[in-house]
Amino acid sequence: MQQENKQTEMMTMKNDNKPKKVLFGTNGVRGIIGEGMNPELVMKIGLALGSMIQGRVAIGRDTRTSGEALAAAMRSGLLASGCDVIDLGILPTPALQYLVREHYDGGAMITASHNPPDYNGVKVIEGDGTEMDDTRTIALESLIFSEDITMADWKNVGKLTDESDRIEEYIRAIISHFPTDCCRNMIVVVDPGSGPAAATTPEILRRMGCTVHTINGRFDGTFPGRLPEPSPEGLSLLSETVIATGAAFGVAHDGDADRAVFVDETGSFMNENLTFAMLARAACATHPGMVVTPVSTSDVIREVAAGYGCPTIYTPVGSISVARTMLSLIQKGETVVFGGEGNGGQIFPNHQFCRDGGMTAAAMAELVAGSAQSISSLADEIPSYTMIKEKIYSDDPEGLFLKVRRACQSLEIDETDGIHIRWGDAWALIRPSGTEPFIRLYAESRDPKRAEEVKDYILSLL
Ligand code: MG
């Protein structure tokens, strides 16, 4: 079994003394059903998580066909460890995170996010609603591998409660951030991709005053309309429906609705760094403060934030790093107004410290309704950048990093995550992939030719 291979891998890991996650990736553990991912593994995660939390744990799932089998295993593990389990049913990951922060000691979301239908997995949520960080995840993993878990005796096994109607609280929490009826008469098309946001995003926008048309709006783990990844190719029906209905824009979510991507009123897919910049600009214009994002994000964010005197703070790649950095800056007394990644995952600190696709859709609706412009003309006000991404397969990533470090030592280098090299008019980043055996290369400049040159230069070093 995959987890056993991973365990061997963990035992034989040389080179680096720092403990690393082996089962969990950037956002939870994922695998193919019947192969790496199965109820046995999920029950072990439930037992280990339950012995760490020892309290009331909420569980939720996305719409995948394997969701109920894995949720049952998670319930079983948690209950046997002595935790009370609150089943929230099918709901977006950010809805579970919001409800955990409000009511429970922890949470587990059965989801494989944007992965294809044959995948499933688990995201682990702390009592404050954030995803579990690396240190705690490593502790959780060592409990899973050790199998040294004490089960509760017959008097102390947990109780199961169904509180699936709580999804209404999440919807209300989002609309509470916007003026009543702020989007009156605006037409919007929502594509939840047969995922859990079918129960939330159309309702949120409707209550804000929008006229909402929904496609792929029924829970369906076979994903008949499109795959869980909201790629431009998968969103042709959304584009057609936007044009046919004269909508102001269309919004689509990934499989667990922590991300939101947009098509404009002409049906064109909008780059996620661009929509991030539009929302960051709106946040900075209302309330100056810091913007937090990973080192892999486009410079466009830095540029729009700087236009309002707002600094941009960089973190390692991954929404957990962004969310935790935002929290710790606020705890130090800083004002943080916005955060997120250039993949449609946006974090609104006045709402909660995780990516929230429903909140992102609502914020975009308010932004467009409140301006006298179309979404595409709002987008035209954002400076344009060219970012190139490549994958490099290598047996010796450390050797490659050393070469780049040597060749670029006279340049501005940042090692927050991988190696980030900055020239006056461009930057490049190389970093090992969090989940697969290759190195990612990013190169960006306002000038497309310059982005190409920078990419070619780094490739020539490798
Ligand atoms: Mg997701």
Side-chain angles (χ1 to χ4, degrees):
M1 275 191 309
Q2 195 183 331
Q3 68 264 33
E4 282 163 0
N5 295 341
K6 287 201 164 186
Q7 189 172 12
T8 325
E9 214 173 276
M10 180 174 70
M11 301 303 185
T12 57
M13 222 155 34
K14 294 171 236 152
N15 300 339
D16 192 346
N17 296 324
K18 227 170 73 184
K20 281 187 178 139
K21 294 183 287 188
V22 289
L23 200 52
F24 283 73
T26 317
N27 294 99
V29 51
R30 291 187 205 158
I32 295 175
I33 287 297
E35 294 178 26
M37 183 51 60
N38 53 59
E40 192 189 347
L41 171 62
V42 173
M43 193 187 66
K44 283 182 186 165
I45 298 172
L47 278 167
L49 178 64
S51 29
M52 269 173 89
I53 296 183
Q54 288 296 302
R56 303 175 72 225
V57 184
I59 68 165
R61 59 187 169 96
D62 66 17
T63 58
R64 286 163 201 275
T65 53
S66 56
E68 187 48 49
L70 298 191
M74 178 57 76
R75 282 196 286 272
S76 175
L78 288 166
L79 290 166
S81 77
C83 286
D84 286 337
V85 174
I86 296 87
D87 196 340
L88 298 175
I90 292 176
L91 80 177
T93 299
L96 176 88
Q97 292 181 267
Y98 177 79
L99 293 169
V100 167
R101 190 189 70 179
E102 294 296 302
H103 303 289
Y104 313 114
D105 303 310
M109 179 74 188
I110 307 297
T111 180
S113 189
H114 62 275
N115 289 118
D118 51 338
Y119 280 76
N120 212 337
V122 182
K123 287 182 179 177
V124 176
I125 312 303
E126 296 280 16
D128 65 359
T130 61
E131 279 185 68
M132 189 174 265
D133 68 12
D134 281 2
T135 315
R136 295 255 298 162
T137 303
I138 289 163
L140 176 69
E141 286 189 348
S142 75
L143 267 178
I144 295 166
F145 291 130
S146 77
E147 300 194 1
D148 179 25
I149 288 159
T150 322
M151 307 248 188
D153 66 18
W154 69 277
K155 280 178 287 190
N156 292 303
V157 288
K159 291 188 194 67
L160 176 66
T161 324
D162 182 318
E163 294 187 6
S164 46
D165 52 353
R166 285 226 192 245
I167 200 165
E168 171 64 19
E169 281 181 44
Y170 165 72
I171 293 172
R172 283 197 197 152
I174 290 182
I175 56 175
S176 74
H177 293 289
F178 304 96
T180 315
D181 251 8
C182 65
C183 303
R184 197 152 17 111
N185 298 330
M186 186 166 75
I187 303 170
V188 178
V189 184
V190 179
D191 178 358
S194 313
T200 50
T201 301
E203 187 58 26
I204 289 165
L205 296 175
R206 216 167 272 133
R207 290 196 206 173
M208 290 170 70
C210 297
T211 299
V212 179
H213 300 285
T214 307
I215 58 169
N216 300 316
R218 252 188 296 195
F219 293 165
D220 190 336
T222 66
F223 302 99
R226 66 166 173 90
L227 291 173
E229 171 66 32
S231 63
E233 308 75 53
L235 300 182
S236 52
L237 182 62
L238 177 63
S239 298
E240 286 164 24
T241 315
V242 164
I243 297 166
T245 58
F249 65 85
V251 57
H253 296 294
D254 70 322
D256 66 336
D258 50 3
R259 291 161 50 206
V261 303
F262 296 89
V263 301
D264 70 15
E265 79 283 2
T266 72
S268 301
F269 183 84
M270 302 177 78
N271 179 288
E272 297 95 327
N273 275 301
L274 170 66
T275 51
F276 181 5
M278 291 167 72
L279 294 167
R281 186 173 82 150
C284 293
T286 352
H287 229 319
M290 293 172 169
V291 176
V292 181
T293 194
V295 286
S296 54
T297 299
S298 168
D299 266 357
V300 70
I301 302 304
R302 191 161 91 143
E303 186 174 340
V304 297
Y308 294 89
C310 298
T312 299
I313 309 297
Y314 289 99
T315 72
V317 172
S319 62
I320 306 179
S321 295
V322 178
R324 291 192 172 274
T325 304
M326 291 171 78
L327 261 172
S328 79
L329 286 166
I330 289 170
Q331 279 155 3
K332 284 181 200 148
E334 301 287 356
T335 307
V336 179
V337 288
F338 203 58
E341 304 175 297
N343 62 3
Q346 257 67 87
I347 304 176
F348 299 78
N350 60 346
H351 172 49
Q352 61 171 343
F353 292 91
C354 65
R355 299 177 295 183
D356 192 324
M359 182 71 185
T360 306
M364 187 62 91
E366 187 203 29
L367 171 62
V368 177
S371 78
Q373 292 166 268
S374 64
I375 194 169
S376 66
S377 69
L378 284 168
D380 285 343
E381 294 173 1
I382 305 289
S384 94
Y385 281 80
T386 299
M387 191 190 283
I388 304 169
K389 296 181 192 176
E390 299 243 340
K391 287 179 185 177
I392 303 157
Y393 290 86
S394 164
D395 297 334
D396 179 24
E398 278 309 316
L400 295 187
F401 279 37
L402 207 61
K403 272 189 208 164
V404 172
R405 208 175 277 126
R406 259 193 223 127
C408 300
Q409 55 189 332
S410 62
L411 296 163
E412 186 185 333
I413 288 188
D414 176 307
E415 300 205 25
T416 302
D417 188 349
I419 304 179
H420 189 286
I421 307 128
R422 187 172 282 284
W423 293 262
D425 57 347
W427 60 266
L429 169 71
I430 54 162
R431 57 178 294 274
S433 158
T435 44
E436 287 157 281
F438 56 77
I439 294 171
R440 287 185 190 281
L441 164 63
Y442 305 72
E444 191 193 58
S445 173
R446 288 188 76 148
D447 176 4
K449 250 177 58 198
R450 184 74 182 118
E452 245 350 289
E453 275 171 28
V454 163
K455 178 207 74 179
D456 290 341
Y457 170 68
I458 299 290
L459 284 178
S460 75
L461 298 177
L462 304 177

